[in-house]
């Protein structure tokens, strides 16, 4: 393998450790300061799903023409009995207090539902349009104030549209929607922890009457984000310490443990500093990059460290050993990092706009990992290994044992290995083609978290807190509901009710729209914007939807609504929109785009290896051994009969990165053996490479498995699954590179001879 210029650079790195150490320290300190001060996290799921699809355009129309519903917050109010006079009054007082809460622009509750003339009295619809008037709210009208609270609430549920979706039948729970002021620039959307605490403090005086809980998609996102941050603070530290401990036991040297463990940490710090400098926020996709940085830096670091130690056993000169290690192993580290960076570029070709940021930041992160190994590890080795006068044994002999069957298979049963690999790959590729992709928010919530329990409760009692809306354009294109408009809307609602899980009474809804359309309200009225567009030419019907549903369930439900409209001759008259629908439609597409991008990445990496190595055969030899770890992770989902999730796709990316890294280091040792011994036979050169590389493969796998095992303590099921998948991928990559790749390389080498 060519030196790629590192042969000239190696002596300079080895001879000037103090200058390099000072520069590295300055860069690391600056990166630390930047990441502490300027690191941004974004939980805005709509930004990650931005594209040019019909679903996203409908979502934009909803947010611009009506109200930014995705920024609303929801409160669940629970009580033994909301109709008790004391509780009823305290709930009213709390709603008044909410008007003065920071960031809250308005609170939409059962007290905000309008009094619709003639509907509550059961007199049917009124044909003549009312004169514009100020709106009256049902629960505070003169007709209702003299009634007992229980009778008022019961009548409200029975007669006013949407009341049964906001108030439970047993009168023990209700939902309050908080409409927030627009967020300041560079500020996260939604309530801040400080604002949430303020609302909780406003509710504290009424705790004897009712309790409040934040629910809905924003709270789900906050719960996930909070748990992730907690995990990163605790599990990352624990996994790092465990990796150092395992490295210490493997290398039997605390110096070796530090030398291999510090570069991955430094690489992550540089990556986060890079994001901070350019103001790039961390989202749910780019959050995978630090893990990739650690995986690649650990793997390459172990290979470089063992190369240095092997040389030190020969001449006991640390500087020359460092120079030798960089010159011989550095090119493989560079090529592994370059191909993995190109893999991220390939992922960005998948099609979704949100993947472009992952593409750029992933490529930069991987190259920063390489730089941390190239400069940090040799510098640490200079200062620490110089004090260790004798080079200790590289690793326990037990780490060499898996190399024996690898040599045996490659030299004596190559054909059987090739046939088995082709058959296995064919089976796994068939699974890849057939395996569907899906998304379910429950994948990210443990069973016992309050938000999950509350969402299940709301779905059972009131239909759910998910955001789904039917947009009805004014049939005649003129502001105001004419008689023909009302007839069209009645037909549309009647059609929708055939498929709705919780049907909506058509006549009261049309009457409410007619009433609201006739009130003297400004076009920018925030309450009116929940039902009528700013231009007065579209109307909105909220449709209850559970947040616990899988993406395919939501898609099937909404597709059924549209199919029913088409069957009734009403095609094109209704648009369905909302954050829940956007997530359900676009997240599976994003997963599919990531899978497509990953396949593109594989092809780009194979092509790059062909070009760099100037050998088509080497590229072909790499193909199946590097695909098998990816396809095996997918096969796991097929075995347990579950669709592919976002967590799995991220695990696939990491599996590919580590598989390519191992493959390149094996190829490097194979080429080194051939160049060092001119007359060596291919079988002997491969045996030499396997014996040289096996301890590093095993050490790297054990270190990473130890670190990833801490994910099993996470509070998020998705993180637990992620750890299991990557651990599985690491072992499969180890098996593929030890027991399959050598046979492919030798088979193609033999053909070339």
């Amino acid at each position: 393998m060519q030196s790629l210029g590192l042969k000239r650079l190696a002596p300079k790195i080895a001879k000037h450790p103090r200058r390099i150490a000072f520069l590295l320290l300055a860069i690391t300190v600056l990166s630390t300061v930047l990441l502490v001060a300027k690191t941004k996290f974004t939980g805005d799921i709509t930004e990650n799903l931005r594209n040019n699809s019909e679903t996203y355009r409908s979502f934009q129309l909803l947010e611009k023409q009506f109200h930014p519903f995705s920024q609303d917050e929801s409160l669940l109010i629970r009580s033994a009995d909301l109709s008790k006079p004391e509780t009823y009054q305290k709930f009213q007082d709390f709603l008044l207090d909410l008007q003065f809460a920071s960031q809250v622009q308005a609170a939409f509750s059962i007290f905000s539902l309008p009094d619709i003339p003639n509907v509550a009295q059961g007199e049917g619809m009124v044909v003549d349009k009312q004169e514009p008037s100020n709106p009256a709210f049902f629960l505070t009208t003169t007709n209702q104030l003299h009634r007992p609270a229980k009778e008022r609430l019961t009548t409200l549920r029975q007669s006013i549209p949407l009341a049964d979706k906001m108030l439970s039948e047993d009168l023990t729970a209700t939902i309050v929607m908080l409409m927030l002021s627009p967020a300041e620039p560079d500020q996260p959307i939604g309530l801040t922890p400080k604002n949430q605490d303020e609302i909780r403090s406003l509710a504290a005086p009424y705790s004897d009457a009712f309790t409040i809980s934040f629910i809905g998609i924003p709270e789900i996102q906050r719960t996930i984000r909070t748990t992730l941050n907690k995990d990163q603070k605790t599990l990352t530290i624990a996994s790092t310490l465990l990796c150092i401990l395992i490295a210490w036991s493997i290398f039997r040297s605390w110096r070796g443990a530090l030398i291999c463990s510090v570069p991955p940490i430094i690489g992550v710090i540089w990556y986060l500093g890079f994001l901070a400098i350019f103001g790039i926020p961390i989202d749910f996709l780019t959050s995978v990059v630090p893990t990739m940085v650690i995986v690649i830096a650990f793997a390459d670091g172990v290979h470089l460290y063992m190369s240095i130690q092997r040389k030190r056993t020969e001449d006991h000169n640390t500087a020359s050993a460092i120079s030798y290690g960089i010159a011989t192993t550095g090119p493989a580290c560079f090529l592994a990092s370059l191909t993995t960076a190109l893999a991220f570029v390939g992922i960005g070709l998948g099609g979704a706009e949100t993947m472009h940021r992952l593409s750029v930041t992933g490529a930069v992160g991987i190259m920063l990992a390489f730089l941390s190994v190239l400069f940090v590890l040799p510098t640490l080795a200079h200062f620490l290994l110089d004090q260790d006068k004798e080079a200790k044994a590289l690793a326990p002999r037990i780490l060499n044992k898996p190399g024996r069957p690898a040599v045996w298979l490659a030299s004596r049963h190559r054909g059987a290995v090739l046939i088995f690999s082709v058959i296995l790959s064919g089976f796994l590729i068939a699974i890849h083609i057939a395996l569907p992709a899906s998304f379910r928010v429950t994948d990210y919530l443990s069973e016992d978290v309050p938000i999950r329990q509350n969402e299940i409760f709301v779905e059972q009692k009131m239909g759910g807190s998910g955001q789904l809306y039917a947009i009805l354009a004014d049939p005649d294109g003129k502001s105001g509901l004419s008689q023909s408009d009302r007839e069209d809307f009645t037909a549309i609602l009647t059609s929708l009710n055939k498929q709705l899980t919780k049907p909506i009474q058509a006549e009261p809804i049309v009457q409410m729209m007619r009433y609201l359309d006739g009130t003297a309200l400004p076009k920018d009225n925030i309450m009116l914007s929940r039902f009528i567009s700013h231009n007065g030419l579209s109307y909105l019907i909220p449709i209850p939807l559970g947040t616990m549903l899988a993406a395919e369930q939501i898609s099937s439900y909404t597709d059924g609504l549209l199919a029913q409209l088409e069957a009734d001759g009403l095609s094109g008259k209704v648009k369905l929109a909302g954050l829940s629908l956007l997530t359900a439609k676009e997240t599976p597409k994003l997963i599919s785009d990531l899978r497509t991008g990953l396949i593109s990445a594989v092809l780009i990496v194979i092509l790059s290896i062909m070009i760099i190595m100037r050998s088509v055969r080497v590229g072909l030899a790499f193909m199946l051994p590097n695909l098998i770890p990816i396809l095996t992770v997918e096969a796991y989902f097929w075995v347990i009969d579950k669709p592919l999730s976002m967590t799995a796709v991220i695990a696939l990316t990491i599996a590919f990165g580590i598989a390519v890294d191992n493959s390149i280091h094996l190829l490097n040792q194979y080429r080194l053996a051939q160049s060092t011994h001119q007359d060596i036979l291919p079988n002997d050169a491969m045996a030499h490479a396997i014996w040289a590389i096996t301890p590093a493969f095993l050490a790297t796998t054990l270190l990473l498995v130890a670190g990833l095992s801490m994910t099993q303590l996470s509070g998020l099921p998705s993180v637990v699954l992620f750890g299991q998948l990557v651990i599985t991928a690491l072992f499969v990559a180890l098996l593929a590179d030890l027991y399959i790749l050598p046979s492919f390389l030798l088979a193609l080498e033999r053909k070339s001879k």
Side-chain angles (χ1 to χ4, degrees):
M1 189 174 291
Q2 295 180 352
S3 65
L4 301 173
L6 291 177
K7 190 172 183 179
R8 294 190 298 272
L9 182 62
K12 298 179 181 178
I13 296 175
K15 290 180 181 179
H16 303 286
R18 297 185 185 279
R19 296 179 186 177
I20 295 174
F22 178 78
L23 180 61
L24 294 175
L25 181 62
I27 294 173
T28 304
V29 169
L30 177 61
S31 298
T32 303
V33 171
L34 288 171
L35 73 89
V36 170
K38 295 186 176 183
T39 297
K40 299 177 182 178
F41 294 88
T42 177
D44 184 3
I45 194 170
T46 61
E47 182 66 25
N48 291 310
L49 300 177
R50 183 187 300 275
N51 57 45
N52 194 36
S53 68
E54 176 64 26
T55 306
Y56 189 79
R57 290 197 298 271
S58 296
F59 174 78
Q60 283 185 307
L61 174 67
L62 173 72
E63 299 269 302
K64 292 179 180 179
Q65 289 295 318
F66 292 90
H67 172 76
F69 291 97
S70 62
Q71 300 179 27
D72 282 355
E73 295 277 356
S74 299
L75 283 178
L76 172 63
I77 311 295
R78 299 180 70 171
S79 172
D81 186 358
L82 284 170
S83 67
K84 289 178 60 176
E86 301 84 0
T87 303
Y88 186 88
Q89 184 59 50
K90 288 182 178 181
F91 179 43
Q92 275 190 293
D93 294 341
F94 173 62
L95 291 174
L96 291 174
D97 294 341
L98 276 177
Q99 306 296 327
F100 301 99
S102 303
Q103 208 176 345
V104 175
Q105 197 170 13
F108 186 80
S109 69
I110 54 176
F111 286 94
S112 306
L113 293 174
D115 177 38
I116 305 171
N118 303 315
V119 171
Q121 290 76 19
E123 297 177 13
M125 292 188 60
V126 177
V127 176
D128 296 330
K129 188 178 179 70
Q130 295 179 345
E131 292 297 322
S133 60
N134 291 323
F137 303 110
F138 179 84
L139 290 176
T140 56
T141 58
T142 305
N143 291 336
Q144 297 299 324
L145 286 176
H146 72 280
R147 295 184 178 183
K150 186 170 185 177
E151 187 176 339
R152 286 187 233 172
L153 295 177
T154 302
T155 306
L156 175 76
R157 287 193 83 258
Q158 294 172 348
S159 57
I160 300 301
L162 308 178
D164 60 331
K165 313 302 185 292
M166 298 178 65
L167 179 65
S168 64
E169 186 176 4
D170 57 8
L171 308 182
T172 61
T174 184
I175 296 176
V176 177
M177 271 74 77
L178 303 180
M179 291 165 277
L180 308 183
S181 303
E184 297 293 329
D186 298 328
Q187 292 298 315
I189 295 174
L191 291 171
T192 65
K194 182 179 179 181
N195 296 141
Q196 284 186 294
D197 290 340
E198 180 185 2
I199 292 173
R200 291 189 184 99
S201 66
L202 291 174
Y206 312 112
S207 59
D208 60 327
F210 57 82
T211 60
I212 70 165
S213 303
F214 290 94
I215 60 171
I217 295 176
E219 178 63 14
I220 291 173
Q221 292 177 349
R222 270 194 300 269
T223 301
I224 295 171
R225 188 164 59 244
T226 300
T227 308
L228 279 174
N229 290 340
K230 181 181 178 182
D231 284 353
Q232 287 179 350
K233 292 177 182 178
T234 56
L235 300 184
T236 301
I237 295 174
S239 62
T240 301
L241 293 176
L242 183 58
C243 283
I244 293 174
L245 181 62
I246 298 297
W248 190 354
S249 65
I250 290 175
F251 302 128
R252 287 172 285 183
S253 165
W254 65 267
R255 294 183 178 91
L258 284 179
I259 290 170
C260 291
S261 301
V262 171
I265 299 172
I266 298 297
V268 171
I269 292 174
W270 289 355
Y271 168 72
L272 295 176
F274 160 77
L275 296 184
I277 289 175
F278 292 96
I280 303 173
I282 299 175
D283 58 30
F284 77 101
L285 280 180
T286 57
S287 61
V288 69
V289 179
T291 304
M292 282 294 292
V293 170
I294 290 173
V295 167
I296 296 299
F298 248 124
D300 287 343
V302 169
H303 285 288
L304 181 56
Y305 171 73
M306 287 190 165
S307 178
I308 292 172
Q309 285 290 66
R310 279 196 296 269
K311 186 64 176 177
R312 287 185 71 237
T313 59
E314 298 175 5
D315 58 19
H316 306 291
N317 185 294
T318 301
S320 63
I322 290 172
S323 179
Y324 172 82
I326 294 173
T328 56
T329 306
C333 294
F334 173 75
L335 184 56
S337 299
L338 177 63
T339 52
T340 307
L342 289 174
F344 272 102
V345 173
I347 289 173
L349 300 177
E353 292 182 18
T354 185
M355 295 197 298
H356 296 167
R357 182 160 57 193
L358 173 64
S359 175
V360 174
T361 58
V364 171
I366 294 304
M367 296 315 296
L368 289 174
F370 166 71
L371 293 176
S372 71
V373 171
L374 183 65
F375 291 101
V376 176
L377 191 145
T379 303
L380 288 172
H382 174 85
F383 290 110
L384 295 178
L385 294 183
D386 252 353
Q387 302 172 36
D388 190 7
K389 299 303 180 183
E390 294 184 4
K392 297 181 180 179
L394 295 177
R397 291 184 179 179
I398 193 173
L399 295 186
N400 283 305
K401 291 188 178 298
R404 187 178 301 277
V407 172
W408 178 71
L409 285 172
S411 59
R412 298 189 179 184
H413 298 280
R414 192 179 311 150
V417 171
L418 296 179
I419 294 171
F420 169 79
S421 301
V422 171
I423 294 174
L424 176 63
S425 298
F427 177 69
L428 294 176
I429 289 172
I431 293 176
H432 167 83
I433 295 172
L435 189 65
S438 182
F439 172 81
R440 186 192 293 266
V441 73
T442 51
D443 295 340
Y444 299 86
L445 297 173
S446 60
E447 295 285 345
D448 57 347
V449 292
I451 180 61
R452 178 168 182 158
Q453 301 303 319
N454 287 332
E455 289 295 331
I456 293 173
F457 174 83
V458 171
E459 187 172 342
Q460 293 172 344
K461 294 286 187 178
M462 291 166 278
S465 66
Q467 297 182 7
L468 179 63
Y469 303 90
I471 304 174
L472 285 65
D474 192 293
D476 61 14
K478 299 178 181 179
S479 180
L481 284 176
S482 64
Q483 177 64 26
S484 62
D485 291 343
R486 295 198 295 271
E487 291 173 356
D488 280 355
F489 279 2
T490 301
I492 290 171
L493 290 169
T494 301
S495 177
L496 289 174
N497 276 334
K498 295 176 183 178
Q499 295 292 328
L500 286 177
T501 305
K502 290 186 175 292
I504 300 172
Q505 295 181 14
E507 184 176 311
I509 281 285
V510 174
Q511 181 74 344
M512 183 180 75
M513 294 302 176
R514 178 176 175 274
Y515 171 70
L516 290 176
D517 193 52
T519 57
L521 295 174
K523 290 185 178 181
D524 59 351
N525 182 278
I526 191 170
M527 290 294 188
L528 187 63
S529 67
R530 302 189 73 87
F531 301 102
I532 301 178
S533 65
H534 301 320
N535 60 12
L537 295 178
S538 297
Y539 300 83
L540 200 63
I541 307 298
I543 298 176
L545 188 70
T547 56
M548 297 290 102
L549 298 174
E552 62 268 21
Q553 291 175 306
I554 297 175
S555 294
S556 176
Y557 182 48
T558 54
D559 290 346
L561 294 176
L562 296 175
Q564 185 63 57
L565 289 168
E566 184 175 359
D568 292 336
L570 300 169
S571 178
K573 294 194 174 185
V574 175
K575 287 183 179 293
L576 297 179
L579 184 55
S580 295
L581 179 59
L582 178 67
T583 303
K585 288 287 188 181
E586 300 305 322
T587 304
K589 291 181 183 178
L590 179 59
I591 296 173
S592 297
D593 285 345
L594 281 168
R595 292 175 73 190
T596 302
L598 191 56
I599 299 302
S600 300
V602 173
L603 297 177
I604 289 175
V605 167
I606 298 302
L607 181 61
S608 301
I609 290 173
M610 289 179 179
I611 295 173
I612 294 173
M613 301 303 301
R614 300 177 184 176
S615 171
V616 173
R617 292 185 175 90
V618 169
L620 294 176
F622 268 47
M623 187 171 295
L624 289 187
N626 285 287
L627 276 176
I628 286 174
I630 299 173
L631 298 175
T632 301
V633 173
E634 292 189 337
Y636 169 81
F637 280 82
W638 179 77
V639 170
I640 63 175
D641 194 25
K642 286 187 176 181
L644 198 67
S645 66
M646 182 69 72
T647 300
V649 177
I650 294 174
L652 296 178
T653 306
I654 295 176
F656 179 67
I658 192 64
V660 169
D661 191 275
N662 285 346
S663 299
I664 289 175
H665 281 289
L666 176 66
L667 176 64
N668 183 52
Q669 288 297 326
Y670 179 56
R671 293 299 194 210
L672 281 174
Q674 289 181 317
S675 62
T676 303
H677 310 284
Q678 295 294 327
D679 298 326
I680 194 171
L681 296 174
N683 277 2
D684 295 333
M686 183 58 68
H688 178 87
I690 291 173
W691 288 119
I693 214 70
T694 298
F697 278 2
L698 266 292
T700 298
T701 302
L702 291 174
L703 283 169
L704 294 174
V705 167
L708 288 165
S709 65
M710 300 306 295
T711 59
Q712 304 309 293
L713 302 178
S714 172
L716 293 178
S718 60
V719 175
V720 174
L721 177 63
F722 171 77
Q724 294 170 354
L725 294 176
V726 177
I727 288 172
T728 301
L730 287 170
F731 278 118
V732 176
L734 174 68
L735 295 175
D737 286 314
L738 267 183
Y739 301 120
I740 296 178
L741 179 61
S743 294
F744 275 91
L745 286 173
L746 286 174
L748 293 171
E749 177 83 16
R750 191 173 185 179
K751 184 179 292 186
S752 68
K753 293 296 182 181

